[in-house]
Structure formats: structure tokens, C-alpha cells
Amino acid sequence: KYTASIITNGSLITQDIKNKMYSDWNIVATQITLDGREKTYNKIKAYVDDSNFNKVIDNIKLIASPNHKFNIRIN
């Protein structure tokens, strides 16, 4: 059986991406990288849209699952 893992900054995860991660792509482990805590992250990233620290935290909650290996790395 094919399985994979992914490393992402988590900013573009949606419900559709989550569904594909688990059913289509067979992602069994995810690592999300954060560039510091909220204030530092938002300063470093300086996105022009709404891709900010809180959105990434919400996306982490969206894809979290007891059957899925999950790491958060702080740079």
C-alpha cells in the first residue's frame, strides 16, 4: 500500500485539501512549520491576504486526527 508524508507551512489547507490528503494522497504524517509564535510569525510572513498565524492554527485543528502522525516544528 502506498503512503506518504508532507511538510507544509499549513497556510493553504482547506477541507478539500484535507479530504485529498487522507483519501487520495494517502498522507499518513504531516509536519507543519511555524516561523515563531504569533507576533514573530505574522511579522516574518507579512502575507497580503488572510494567511496568518491564527489561520494556520485553525488549519492544524482541521487536519488533526488520532490516526495521523503530526509534528509542529518552530523555526
Side-chain angles (χ1 to χ4, degrees):
K1 179 179 177 182
Y2 170 82
T3 60
S5 61
I6 187 172
I7 300 172
T8 176
N9 68 6
S11 64
L12 299 178
I13 295 172
T14 62
Q15 183 65 46
D16 185 48
I17 295 293
K18 174 189 174 181
N19 294 342
K20 289 178 182 178
M21 285 173 64
Y22 293 148
S23 63
D24 297 344
W25 304 333
N26 293 321
I27 304 290
V28 296
T30 301
Q31 177 175 294
I32 299 226
T33 57
L34 293 173
D35 292 328
R37 296 187 304 194
E38 184 175 6
K39 185 176 179 181
T40 303
Y41 178 92
N42 288 335
K43 183 178 178 180
I44 289 171
K45 293 298 186 187
Y47 289 119
V48 294
D49 62 6
D50 63 349
S51 298
N52 59 36
F53 183 85
N54 291 323
K55 182 176 180 182
V56 173
I57 297 301
D58 289 342
N59 290 344
I60 290 170
K61 293 174 186 175
L62 175 67
I63 64 172
S65 167
N67 300 324
H68 188 82
K69 293 181 183 179
F70 201 85
N71 292 317
I72 298 173
R73 187 182 84 208
I74 307 242
N75 295 328

